Amino acid sequence: MPLTPEEPQIHESAQGPRASAATGRPAPTPRPVPGPRSAASPRPGRPVPGPAKPAAPARQPHPEAVPSAAENRSGEPSEPQLQLIPAPVDGALDAAEEALDLLLETGRAPGEVLVLTTGDLHPWAAHELSFGEASYWAHQDTDDDVFFAHATAVERAKARPVVIVALNGGDDQAVARVLPLARARASALLVVCGDSQLVTTLLGASAAV
């Protein structure tokens, strides 16, 4: 039946996506809540490895790895091995996460690693502290995942086989204080990401062996 001039024509394009778009912008996608790192949860932004991923080839020691000075009669180092990873202040946390990923990929259990920051808190630590210190420190006692803490709380951190320190801020005095304490809490390996010359100077002869 033909339309009279008074009857407006309704086009199909008036309905559908364009019509709904006029109601306003869609709500932004919520960002994921940071969580503790584990071997089963790859770093955000990286492709999830498939089931047939080949075994990682043997990696050569980092060129700036510094072996411990003394060994006991059983051949085990009396102090943890020290590994220096050069990084600027604004890249120290990224370098620490790369080191953490490598450790987990090569078989280190998440519960064996403590990560310390000298500047801003790691996002996981900041998130967990928002629920209160009691809940935050309870995660450390489970010993089943990587634990992230600020260098100012290093004395409260439990000893673990591996300690990673990201020099992502703080003055030389703060760094000089945390490094010996971090080394005392590492039974096998201490990884320091930051100014390697500063670290060598602060640790003195033990870092120059």
Side-chain angles (χ1 to χ4, degrees):
M1 176 177 180
L3 299 173
T4 63
E6 294 78 7
E7 294 178 325
Q9 296 185 6
I10 300 176
H11 298 281
E12 293 182 2
S13 61
Q15 303 177 358
R18 292 187 180 180
S20 61
T23 61
R25 292 184 175 179
T29 303
R31 299 182 66 181
V33 176
R37 187 66 49 81
S38 66
S41 56
R43 187 177 181 182
R46 292 186 176 183
V48 178
K53 181 179 178 180
R59 297 175 181 265
Q60 296 298 322
H62 193 278
E64 294 202 27
V66 181
S68 178
E71 293 187 355
N72 57 30
R73 293 181 180 180
S74 64
E76 293 295 328
S78 58
E79 292 186 356
Q81 181 183 11
L82 174 63
Q83 183 174 358
L84 307 180
I85 300 180
V89 173
D90 58 358
L93 187 56
D94 285 339
E97 294 215 350
E98 292 287 348
L100 174 58
D101 286 343
L102 177 58
L103 287 167
L104 298 179
E105 289 171 3
T106 53
R108 180 67 68 174
E112 296 180 343
V113 185
L114 167 67
V115 179
L116 299 172
T117 58
T118 60
D120 292 339
L121 282 169
H122 187 277
W124 180 88
H127 171 71
E128 291 300 325
L129 279 170
S130 67
F131 297 103
E133 288 202 10
S135 173
Y136 166 73
W137 287 105
H139 285 287
Q140 176 178 225
D141 296 332
T142 61
D143 291 326
D144 61 358
D145 215 332
V146 180
F147 189 74
F148 300 87
H150 194 268
T152 55
V154 63
E155 292 176 337
R156 192 171 176 180
K158 294 172 60 177
R160 291 195 171 188
V162 179
V163 176
I164 302 174
V165 182
L167 304 183
N168 62 331
D171 55 23
D172 290 359
Q173 183 177 359
V175 174
R177 174 183 176 275
V178 71
L179 288 180
L181 295 174
R183 180 170 56 184
R185 279 154 180 76
S187 60
L189 176 65
L190 172 64
V191 181
V192 183
C193 305
D195 185 340
S196 56
Q197 183 176 359
L198 172 63
V199 174
T200 302
T201 300
L202 294 176
L203 289 181
S206 61
V209 175

